Structure formats: C-alpha cells, structure tokens
Coordinates of all heavy atoms in Angstrom, one line a residue:
I6 N -2.9 -16.0 -18.5 CA -3.7 -14.8 -18.4 C -3.9 -14.4 -17.0 O -3.8 -13.3 -16.6 CB -5.0 -15.0 -19.2 CG1 -4.7 -15.1 -20.7 CG2 -5.9 -13.9 -19.0 CD1 -5.8 -15.6 -21.6
A7 N -4.3 -15.4 -16.2 CA -4.6 -15.1 -14.7 C -3.3 -14.6 -14.1 O -3.4 -13.7 -13.2 CB -5.1 -16.4 -14.1
S8 N -2.2 -15.2 -14.3 CA -0.9 -14.8 -13.7 C -0.6 -13.3 -14.1 O -0.2 -12.5 -13.3 CB 0.2 -15.7 -14.1 OG 0.0 -17.0 -13.7
L9 N -0.8 -13.0 -15.4 CA -0.5 -11.6 -15.8 C -1.5 -10.6 -15.2 O -1.0 -9.5 -14.8 CB -0.6 -11.6 -17.4 CG 0.6 -12.2 -18.1 CD1 0.3 -12.2 -19.6 CD2 1.9 -11.5 -17.8
V10 N -2.8 -11.0 -15.1 CA -3.7 -10.1 -14.5 C -3.3 -9.8 -13.0 O -3.3 -8.7 -12.6 CB -5.1 -10.6 -14.6 CG1 -6.1 -9.8 -13.7 CG2 -5.6 -10.7 -16.1
I11 N -3.0 -10.9 -12.3 CA -2.7 -10.7 -10.9 C -1.4 -9.9 -10.8 O -1.2 -9.1 -9.9 CB -2.5 -12.1 -10.2 CG1 -3.9 -12.8 -10.2 CG2 -2.0 -12.0 -8.8 CD1 -3.9 -14.3 -9.8
G12 N -0.4 -10.3 -11.7 CA 0.9 -9.6 -11.7 C 0.7 -8.1 -11.9 O 1.3 -7.3 -11.2
V13 N -0.1 -7.7 -12.9 CA -0.3 -6.3 -13.2 C -0.9 -5.6 -12.0 O -0.6 -4.5 -11.7 CB -1.1 -6.1 -14.5 CG1 -1.6 -4.7 -14.7 CG2 -0.3 -6.6 -15.7
F14 N -1.9 -6.3 -11.4 CA -2.6 -5.7 -10.3 C -1.7 -5.4 -9.1 O -1.6 -4.4 -8.5 CB -3.8 -6.6 -9.8 CG -4.5 -6.1 -8.6 CD1 -5.3 -5.0 -8.7 CD2 -4.4 -6.8 -7.4 CE1 -6.0 -4.6 -7.6 CE2 -5.1 -6.4 -6.3 CZ -5.9 -5.3 -6.4
V15 N -0.8 -6.4 -8.8 CA 0.1 -6.3 -7.7 C 1.2 -5.2 -8.0 O 1.5 -4.4 -7.2 CB 0.8 -7.7 -7.4 CG1 1.9 -7.5 -6.4 CG2 -0.2 -8.7 -6.9
W16 N 1.7 -5.3 -9.2 CA 2.7 -4.2 -9.6 C 2.1 -2.8 -9.5 O 2.7 -1.9 -9.1 CB 3.2 -4.5 -11.0 CG 3.9 -5.8 -11.2 CD1 4.7 -6.4 -10.2 CD2 4.0 -6.6 -12.3 NE1 5.2 -7.6 -10.7 CE2 4.7 -7.7 -12.0 CE3 3.4 -6.5 -13.6 CZ2 5.0 -8.7 -13.0 CZ3 3.7 -7.5 -14.5 CH2 4.4 -8.6 -14.2
G17 N 0.8 -2.7 -9.9 CA 0.1 -1.4 -9.8 C 0.0 -1.0 -8.4 O 0.2 0.2 -8.1
L18 N -0.4 -1.9 -7.5 CA -0.5 -1.5 -6.1 C 0.8 -1.1 -5.5 O 0.9 -0.1 -4.7 CB -1.0 -2.7 -5.3 CG -2.5 -3.0 -5.4 CD1 -2.8 -4.3 -4.5 CD2 -3.4 -1.8 -4.9
I19 N 1.9 -1.8 -5.9 CA 3.2 -1.4 -5.4 C 3.6 0.0 -5.8 O 4.1 0.8 -5.0 CB 4.3 -2.4 -5.9 CG1 4.1 -3.8 -5.2 CG2 5.7 -1.9 -5.6 CD1 4.9 -4.9 -5.8
L20 N 3.4 0.3 -7.1 CA 3.7 1.6 -7.6 C 2.9 2.7 -7.0 O 3.4 3.8 -6.7 CB 3.6 1.6 -9.2 CG 4.6 0.8 -9.9 CD1 4.3 0.7 -11.4 CD2 6.0 1.3 -9.7
W21 N 1.6 2.4 -6.9 CA 0.7 3.4 -6.3 C 1.1 3.7 -4.8 O 1.1 4.9 -4.5 CB -0.8 2.8 -6.3 CG -1.8 3.8 -5.7 CD1 -2.2 5.0 -6.2 CD2 -2.4 3.6 -4.4 NE1 -3.1 5.6 -5.4 CE2 -3.3 4.8 -4.3 CE3 -2.4 2.7 -3.4 CZ2 -4.1 4.9 -3.2 CZ3 -3.2 2.9 -2.3 CH2 -4.0 4.0 -2.2
V22 N 1.4 2.7 -4.1 CA 1.8 2.9 -2.7 C 3.1 3.7 -2.6 O 3.3 4.6 -1.8 CB 2.0 1.6 -1.9 CG1 2.6 1.8 -0.6 CG2 0.6 0.9 -1.7
M23 N 4.1 3.3 -3.5 CA 5.4 4.0 -3.6 C 5.2 5.5 -3.8 O 5.9 6.3 -3.1 CB 6.2 3.4 -4.7 CG 6.8 2.1 -4.4 SD 7.6 1.3 -5.8 CE 8.8 2.6 -6.2
F24 N 4.3 5.9 -4.7 CA 4.1 7.3 -5.0 C 3.1 8.0 -4.0 O 3.3 9.2 -3.7 CB 3.7 7.5 -6.4 CG 4.9 7.3 -7.4 CD1 5.0 6.0 -8.0 CD2 5.8 8.2 -7.6 CE1 6.0 5.8 -8.9 CE2 6.9 8.0 -8.5 CZ 7.0 6.8 -9.1
R25 N 2.0 7.3 -3.7 CA 1.0 7.9 -2.9 C 1.4 8.2 -1.5 O 1.1 9.2 -0.9 CB -0.3 7.0 -2.9 CG -1.4 7.4 -1.9 CD -2.0 8.8 -2.4 NE -3.1 9.2 -1.5 CZ -2.9 9.7 -0.3 NH1 -1.7 10.0 0.2 NH2 -4.0 10.1 0.4
Y26 N 2.2 7.3 -0.9 CA 2.6 7.4 0.5 C 4.1 7.6 0.7 O 4.6 7.3 1.8 CB 2.2 6.1 1.3 CG 0.7 5.9 1.3 CD1 0.1 5.0 0.4 CD2 -0.1 6.6 2.1 CE1 -1.3 4.8 0.4 CE2 -1.5 6.4 2.1 CZ -2.1 5.5 1.3 OH -3.4 5.3 1.3
R27 N 4.8 8.2 -0.3 CA 6.2 8.5 -0.1 C 6.3 9.6 0.9 O 5.5 10.5 1.0 CB 6.8 8.9 -1.4 CG 6.4 10.2 -2.0 CD 6.9 10.4 -3.4 NE 6.6 11.7 -4.0 CZ 5.5 12.0 -4.5 NH1 4.5 11.1 -4.6 NH2 5.3 13.2 -5.0
R28 N 7.4 9.6 1.6 CA 7.7 10.6 2.6 C 8.1 11.9 1.9 O 8.9 12.0 1.1 CB 8.8 10.2 3.5 CG 9.0 11.1 4.7 CD 9.9 10.5 5.8 NE 11.2 10.2 5.3 CZ 12.2 9.7 6.1 NH1 11.9 9.4 7.3 NH2 13.4 9.5 5.6
K29 N 7.4 13.0 2.4 CA 7.6 14.3 1.7 C 8.7 15.1 2.4 O 9.2 16.0 1.8 CB 6.3 15.1 1.7 CG 5.2 14.4 0.9 CD 3.9 15.2 0.9 CE 2.8 14.5 0.0 NZ 2.5 13.2 0.5
N30 N 9.0 14.8 3.6 CA 10.1 15.5 4.3 C 10.6 14.6 5.4 O 10.0 13.6 5.7 CB 9.6 16.9 4.9 CG 8.5 16.7 5.9 OD1 8.6 16.1 6.9 ND2 7.3 17.2 5.5
N31 N 11.8 14.9 5.9 CA 12.5 14.1 6.9 C 11.8 14.0 8.2 O 12.2 13.2 9.1 CB 13.9 14.5 7.0 CG 14.7 14.3 5.7 OD1 14.4 13.4 5.0 ND2 15.7 15.1 5.5
T32 N 10.9 15.0 8.5 CA 10.3 15.0 9.9 C 8.9 14.3 9.9 O 8.4 14.1 11.0 CB 10.2 16.4 10.3 OG1 9.4 17.2 9.4 CG2 11.6 17.1 10.4
E33 N 8.4 14.0 8.7 CA 7.1 13.5 8.6 C 7.1 12.0 9.1 O 7.9 11.2 8.7 CB 6.5 13.5 7.2 CG 5.1 13.0 7.1 CD 4.7 13.0 5.6 OE1 5.5 13.3 4.7 OE2 3.5 12.7 5.4
V34 N 6.1 11.7 10.0 CA 6.0 10.3 10.5 C 4.6 9.8 10.0 O 3.6 10.4 10.3 CB 6.1 10.3 12.0 CG1 5.8 8.8 12.5 CG2 7.4 10.8 12.5
P35 N 4.5 8.7 9.3 CA 3.2 8.2 8.9 C 2.3 7.7 10.0 O 2.8 7.4 11.1 CB 3.6 6.9 8.0 CG 4.9 6.5 8.5 CD 5.6 7.8 9.0
R36 N 1.0 7.8 9.8 CA 0.1 7.4 10.8 C 0.3 5.9 11.1 O 0.4 5.0 10.2 CB -1.3 7.6 10.3 CG -2.4 7.2 11.3 CD -3.8 7.8 10.8 NE -4.2 7.2 9.5 CZ -4.9 6.1 9.4 NH1 -5.3 5.5 10.5 NH2 -5.3 5.7 8.2
Q37 N 0.3 5.6 12.4 CA 0.6 4.2 12.9 C -0.7 3.4 13.0 O -1.6 3.8 13.8 CB 1.4 4.3 14.2 CG 2.6 5.1 14.2 CD 3.6 4.5 13.2 OE1 4.0 3.4 13.3 NE2 4.0 5.4 12.2
T38 N -0.8 2.3 12.3 CA -2.0 1.5 12.3 C -1.6 0.1 12.7 O -0.7 -0.5 12.1 CB -2.7 1.5 10.9 OG1 -3.0 2.8 10.5 CG2 -3.9 0.6 11.0
R39 N -2.2 -0.4 13.8 CA -1.8 -1.8 14.3 C -2.3 -2.9 13.4 O -1.7 -3.8 13.1 CB -2.3 -1.9 15.7 CG -1.6 -1.0 16.7 CD -2.1 -1.2 18.1 NE -1.8 -2.6 18.5 CZ -2.2 -3.1 19.7 NH1 -2.9 -2.4 20.5 NH2 -1.9 -4.3 20.0
Y40 N -3.5 -2.7 12.9 CA -4.1 -3.7 12.0 C -5.3 -3.1 11.3 O -5.8 -2.1 11.6 CB -4.5 -5.0 12.8 CG -5.6 -4.7 13.8 CD1 -7.0 -4.7 13.5 CD2 -5.2 -4.4 15.1 CE1 -7.9 -4.5 14.4 CE2 -6.2 -4.2 16.1 CZ -7.6 -4.2 15.7 OH -8.5 -4.0 16.7
N41 N -5.7 -3.8 10.2 CA -6.8 -3.4 9.4 C -7.6 -4.7 9.1 O -7.2 -5.5 8.2 CB -6.4 -2.7 8.1 CG -7.6 -2.2 7.4 OD1 -8.6 -2.8 7.2 ND2 -7.5 -0.9 6.9
L42 N -8.6 -5.0 9.9 CA -9.3 -6.3 9.8 C -9.9 -6.6 8.4 O -9.7 -7.7 7.8 CB -10.3 -6.4 10.9 CG -11.0 -7.8 11.0 CD1 -10.0 -8.9 11.3 CD2 -12.1 -7.8 12.1
P43 N -10.6 -5.6 7.8 CA -11.2 -5.9 6.5 C -10.1 -6.2 5.4 O -10.2 -7.1 4.6 CB -11.9 -4.6 6.1 CG -12.2 -4.0 7.4 CD -11.1 -4.3 8.3
L44 N -8.9 -5.5 5.5 CA -7.9 -5.7 4.6 C -7.2 -7.1 4.8 O -6.9 -7.8 3.8 CB -6.8 -4.6 4.7 CG -5.7 -4.6 3.7 CD1 -6.2 -4.4 2.3 CD2 -4.6 -3.5 4.0
E45 N -7.1 -7.5 6.0 CA -6.5 -8.8 6.3 C -7.4 -9.9 5.9 O -6.9 -10.9 5.4 CB -6.1 -8.9 7.8 CG -5.0 -7.9 8.2 CD -4.7 -8.0 9.7 OE1 -5.3 -8.9 10.4 OE2 -4.0 -7.2 10.2
I46 N -8.7 -9.8 6.0 CA -9.6 -10.8 5.6 C -9.5 -10.9 4.0 O -9.6 -12.0 3.5 CB -11.0 -10.5 6.0 CG1 -11.1 -10.6 7.6 CG2 -12.0 -11.4 5.4 CD1 -12.4 -10.2 8.1
M47 N -9.5 -9.7 3.4 CA -9.4 -9.7 1.9 C -8.2 -10.4 1.4 O -8.3 -11.3 0.5 CB -9.4 -8.3 1.4 CG -9.5 -8.2 -0.1 SD -9.2 -6.6 -0.8 CE -7.4 -6.4 -0.5
Y48 N -7.0 -10.1 1.9 CA -5.8 -10.7 1.3 C -5.6 -12.2 1.8 O -4.7 -12.9 1.4 CB -4.5 -9.9 1.5 CG -4.0 -9.6 2.9 CD1 -3.6 -10.7 3.7 CD2 -3.8 -8.3 3.3 CE1 -3.1 -10.4 5.0 CE2 -3.3 -8.1 4.6 CZ -2.9 -9.1 5.4 OH -2.4 -8.8 6.6

C-alpha cells in the first residue's frame, strides 16, 4: 500500500510537470533556478 501511494504520487508529479511546464514555442526559455532550498530539504 505504501509503495502504491508513493508510486501514484510520483507518477502524478511527473505528469503534472510534463503538462504544466511543457514548452509552448521554440523560442521560449524556462526561468533558470540554481537551487530551491525548501524543496531540497523536503526531498
């Protein structure tokens, strides 16, 4: 059960990132971030 919950959460994040941050045109450059301390502490 724990493995499935974690798996579904990770798969959901992957799909969300794929669609939320997909490149909309060939000239668009995503914002460059060197690090995110809260996120790194969390994972």
Side-chain angles (χ1 to χ4, degrees):
I6 292 170
S8 298
L9 285 174
V10 170
I11 294 169
V13 169
F14 177 70
V15 172
W16 298 329
L18 285 178
I19 292 172
L20 293 173
W21 180 71
V22 169
M23 287 171 57
F24 287 96
R25 173 66 177 80
Y26 296 103
R27 69 187 186 279
R28 188 166 61 178
K29 297 180 176 60
N30 57 67
N31 293 331
T32 60
E33 182 182 6
V34 178
R36 183 166 61 91
Q37 305 300 302
T38 303
R39 295 182 60 186
Y40 61 87
N41 186 315
L42 188 58
L44 187 62
E45 292 178 9
I46 292 174
M47 184 192 74
Y48 66 60

